[in-house]
Amino acid sequence: MATRDKPFASRVLDTLASLKLTIFLFFALAGTSVFGTVIQQQADPHAYIESYGPTLARVFEVLNLVDMYHSWWFELLLALLLLNTLVCSLRRLPAALRSIRRDQHVTAGELATKPLQSSWATREGAAGVVEEVLREKLGTPSMHLEEGAFAWFVQKQPWARLGAYVAHASLVLFFLGGIVGARYGFKGFVNIVEGESVASVQLRDGGMLTLPFEIACESFELHTYPDGRPKDYLSRLEVRRNGNVVEKKTIEVNDPLIQDGIYFYQSSYGKSGGGAVLKAVSPGGDQVLAPVQVPEESTIRVPGSDLSVEVVATAENYNGFGPAAQLVLVAEGPNSHAHVGEPFVVLQNFPNFDQRRGGEQVFQLAGLLPGRWYTGLQVAKDPGVPLIWAGSLLLTLGTLMAFFASHRRVWVRIEDGRLTLAGAASKNLSAFRDAFEELERTLRERTELTSRAQRAAG
């Protein structure tokens, strides 16, 4: 029947089952995933404007390239791939099942078409020996009686033909796992200062999520190399319910705390509540600002100037140069707070380091104010993970079945005093040939009509 004469439903099914659609979807998913790799996902909108400009940032927003894995068009591509896989599998599965059941008993002429075959004259009583040998070597055979002939059939690993379908089933689980994770999971982050606890986290989309328990940071440890670079950092966390500690764990990178299916990953760290002791001199060395304590994110007016200086951040060992503070000049008004120029760094061990900036004042770091460590945690829950694991197991199983298992079949037929042995394998026929030849030797030894047997019979 020509394609145009088929019912509409049949044409739709043909399209969904086509290999062309499979190839198109693979290329479409691979191509669009490039955007998800190159463009940072779920970042602040201002970050896209700063990186790509307002026009391109608007294009990204309209096409949802800033959160493409949750976009309708990406989920549509995945849904089409799922349908394509299901329709292909369901259409071809009956044929695969028939291939397991067919050819169990064939005629003498059909045996001649099998890739492995052998034939010899048999002695009296060979029929009873054949079934015994087949059961010993391959398993219980099925026997078929015809007029003047005995026929046996036995097969091993018939399930090997279903490996591709098992692998396809894994793709369905991957898709369902992704959908469940995207719809019912979340990702967020939270900073917890040592000795404090929180009961909510900020989500990536800007919302807040209340946890069914409190999570507390009992302590934080930072281990460094001799040059000051971070080597490892650990957080000792507590889970509290109704004021009672129900779980304790020290986490580090790639070793999260898991509670109620929610993962708390060690992500970052820092200090909160610290500050710097600043002073300033003129380029000629005259004191402009006497040493004064300035907390982080606070400002102090610069004498002889309309500007203030803000302590943006501090570090106990900045790139191996010792204590440092990041500062920025600020123009402050009744309702304004604007940065003037780029932030700059001052080093306690190099008092004149700020001279390189060429400003009207040279700021110097006289010391750091102690602060408390905070641990930065990435918080995630993905209820689709069990489906992904199940899919991974099925994919492994299907791959092993498809590539390393072979459906082996053996036929034996005794007719007119001759035994015909035939064999076939769905793949790796050369490996099956060795087993077939071993079976042939055993059967010949126990059923072949030799010259001595002929003389004894005569």
Side-chain angles (χ1 to χ4, degrees):
M1 181 184 292
T3 301
R4 62 178 179 275
D5 297 330
K6 287 186 175 181
F8 176 74
S10 296
R11 282 183 284 164
V12 170
L13 288 176
D14 288 345
T15 302
L16 289 175
S18 70
L19 182 60
K20 290 180 180 178
L21 178 61
T22 306
I23 295 173
F24 167 77
L25 290 173
F26 275 135
F27 275 103
L29 288 169
T32 54
S33 295
V34 172
F35 293 106
T37 303
V38 174
I39 301 172
Q40 185 180 1
Q41 299 293 288
Q42 297 181 332
D44 187 273
H46 297 291
Y48 299 109
I49 296 175
E50 291 180 1
S51 300
Y52 303 101
T55 303
L56 206 52
R58 178 60 180 162
V59 172
F60 289 172
E61 181 183 356
V62 171
L63 298 179
N64 210 2
L65 294 177
V66 297
D67 189 16
M68 58 164 285
Y69 297 113
H70 296 90
S71 64
W72 65 268
W73 54 266
F74 192 79
E75 292 183 353
L76 177 62
L77 290 175
L78 290 177
L80 285 175
L81 182 61
L82 174 66
L83 277 176
N84 179 249
T85 303
L86 282 174
V87 174
C88 283
S89 299
L90 293 177
R91 274 197 164 188
R92 291 167 174 77
L93 182 59
L97 295 175
R98 283 196 299 272
S99 70
I100 294 175
R101 295 191 296 265
R102 73 184 180 191
D103 295 340
Q104 293 194 2
H105 296 288
V106 298
T107 65
E110 290 169 331
L111 284 184
T113 64
K114 303 305 177 186
L116 302 176
Q117 50 187 290
S118 182
S119 181
W120 59 85
T122 60
R123 68 183 66 159
E124 192 74 23
V129 175
V130 168
E131 183 163 342
E132 179 183 339
V133 172
L134 290 178
R135 183 177 289 107
E136 176 185 329
K137 296 289 186 181
L138 299 172
T140 303
S142 61
M143 190 180 74
H144 182 67
L145 295 176
E146 297 179 7
E147 186 175 353
F150 296 90
W152 293 267
F153 170 78
V154 63
Q155 60 181 343
K156 294 191 72 173
Q157 301 177 349
W159 41 263
R161 293 184 179 273
L162 303 178
Y165 303 94
V166 175
H168 286 174
S170 71
L171 298 180
V172 176
L173 290 179
F174 286 147
F175 177 80
L176 293 177
I179 291 295
V180 170
R183 295 296 180 190
Y184 303 105
F186 63 82
K187 289 184 178 180
F189 58 91
V190 64
N191 293 333
I192 310 176
V193 179
E194 274 185 314
E196 297 184 3
S197 64
V198 299
S200 61
V201 298
Q202 183 172 359
L203 301 178
R204 282 190 172 183
D205 60 5
M208 296 296 294
L209 176 73
T210 301
L211 299 171
F213 49 81
E214 287 187 5
I215 185 84
C217 178
E218 187 179 352
S219 62
F220 176 83
E221 296 178 20
L222 174 63
H223 300 164
T224 61
Y225 291 102
D227 61 0
R229 290 182 295 118
K231 181 179 180 181
D232 193 10
Y233 42 103
L234 308 93
S235 301
R236 184 164 180 77
L237 303 181
E238 287 183 354
V239 179
R240 300 172 182 169
R241 293 182 189 271
N242 301 321
N244 300 317
V245 177
V246 296
E247 184 172 354
K248 288 185 176 182
K249 181 174 182 180
T250 299
I251 68 168
E252 56 185 331
V253 176
N254 295 328
D255 184 18
L257 167 71
I258 307 172
Q259 186 71 22
D260 290 359
I262 304 174
Y263 287 67
F264 294 87
Y265 296 95
Q266 181 70 73
S267 175
S268 61
Y269 64 90
K271 274 197 170 181
S272 174
V277 180
L278 295 180
K279 61 181 181 180
V281 298
S282 67
D286 299 327
Q287 179 171 291
V288 176
L289 178 67
V292 60
Q293 295 184 354
V294 185
E296 282 189 19
E297 301 181 357
S298 297
T299 61
I300 188 167
R301 176 73 67 180
V302 180
S305 171
D306 296 332
L307 302 176
S308 300
V309 62
E310 177 182 341
V311 177
V312 179
T314 60
E316 293 185 346
N317 192 347
Y318 179 73
N319 290 338
F321 294 107
Q326 186 182 44
L327 312 178
V328 66
L329 295 175
V330 178
E332 291 184 303
N335 299 308
S336 64
H337 182 92
H339 290 177
V340 178
E342 298 294 327
F344 55 96
V345 174
V346 291
L347 302 170
Q348 184 175 353
N349 297 335
F350 302 90
N352 296 321
F353 184 75
D354 189 39
Q355 282 184 342
R356 304 171 59 181
R357 183 172 55 88
E360 295 180 1
Q361 303 86 23
V362 177
F363 290 95
Q364 298 176 341
L365 178 64
L368 295 179
L369 299 177
R372 287 192 297 169
W373 287 107
Y374 70 81
T375 181
L377 305 177
Q378 182 180 351
V379 187
K381 182 176 183 178
D382 188 348
V385 167
L387 292 172
I388 300 296
W389 275 111
S392 300
L393 291 175
L394 277 187
L395 181 60
T396 303
L397 179 63
T399 303
L400 292 174
M401 291 170 61
F403 290 99
F404 298 101
S406 173
H407 181 200
R408 297 177 173 184
R409 293 175 292 173
V410 169
W411 297 267
V412 180
R413 184 181 182 91
I414 296 179
E415 186 174 16
D416 297 333
R418 291 194 66 80
L419 184 150
T420 302
L421 172 66
S426 61
K427 62 176 71 69
N428 201 3
L429 184 63
S430 59
F432 177 53
R433 189 186 303 276
D434 294 338
F436 182 83
E437 290 175 352
E438 171 63 23
L439 175 65
E440 179 187 356
R441 281 194 294 272
T442 303
L443 281 174
R444 277 184 180 274
E445 290 173 358
R446 300 172 65 174
T447 65
E448 190 172 20
L449 181 62
T450 62
S451 298
R452 181 179 298 177
Q454 288 175 335
R455 286 194 297 271

